[in-house]
Amino acid sequence: IINVNASECARFISEGGITFNGDTAAANALNDYEEGTFTPVIDGSTTSGTYELAAAVGRYTRVGGLLHVEYLITTASSISAGGAGYLRLSGLPFAYPTGAAKNVQTTVLTGGVGFTGGYLMSVHDSSGSADTMFFSGIGNDGSNNTVAVGAIGVNDTLRGSFSYMLNNP
């Protein structure tokens, strides 16, 4: 037990984990925290193609069942390309849970990526791999259009972050 000014602020419990503020319930214990890196990958949904990258940096923080991901991808000054279909982001550190609602969405900052819309979002790819997101251009009128992998060119940048639950509540 850890006390501050005679008040319990944390407790290590025998069931494995740490609880806070006098809570002793094992169900509320923090027993899974992790930070790490991963290498994000971009490709096409129908044909992968080859997209050489100058930078591909991914970081994540997992607290219990909540995963927060940040990434930065910059294409090289020369790319082979050749992909077909919509633009995908894969290589995420944890798979999205099977049977979960596919509603992870977030705004993406871009540099040079050609798409129709007012802003770009990444959305979990419910039809593909469990560790894949795809990109969607959102129009000023609210329309939603997947971004073709051909929208990526040399020296383009994708930067974003998103969070999702690894466990179904």
Side-chain angles (χ1 to χ4, degrees):
I1 297 174
I2 300 170
N3 291 308
V4 175
N5 295 329
S7 294
E8 182 178 325
C9 63
R11 172 188 299 242
F12 293 94
I13 61 172
S14 61
E15 291 85 355
I18 185 171
T19 61
F20 300 94
N21 302 317
D23 188 349
T24 59
N28 296 335
L30 174 60
N31 60 4
D32 197 354
Y33 178 86
E34 180 179 342
E35 293 180 355
T37 61
F38 69 100
T39 303
V41 175
I42 56 171
D43 68 358
S45 62
T46 307
T47 304
S48 293
T50 303
Y51 295 86
E52 293 84 3
L53 303 177
V57 179
R59 300 184 322 184
Y60 69 89
T61 302
R62 177 182 179 174
V63 179
L66 178 65
L67 179 68
H68 180 74
V69 175
E70 299 174 358
Y71 63 90
L72 167 66
I73 298 171
T74 303
T75 56
S77 57
S78 174
I79 59 175
S80 302
Y86 54 83
L87 176 62
R88 297 188 309 180
L89 168 69
S90 61
L92 301 177
F94 292 92
Y96 199 83
T98 303
K102 311 297 188 212
N103 58 3
V104 175
Q105 300 176 357
T106 183
T107 301
V108 180
L109 299 173
T110 64
V113 179
F115 66 95
T116 302
Y119 61 95
L120 194 65
M121 288 180 22
S122 60
V123 180
H124 183 259
D125 185 354
S126 60
S127 63
S129 171
D131 70 346
T132 303
M133 302 287 283
F134 71 91
F135 294 93
S136 184
I138 307 301
N140 293 330
D141 62 355
S143 60
N144 181 338
N145 301 298
T146 56
V147 174
V149 69
I152 290 289
V154 299
N155 300 316
D156 285 355
T157 300
L158 295 165
R159 176 187 304 247
S161 65
F162 53 89
S163 299
Y164 61 89
M165 294 302 295
L166 295 170
N167 306 319
N168 290 324

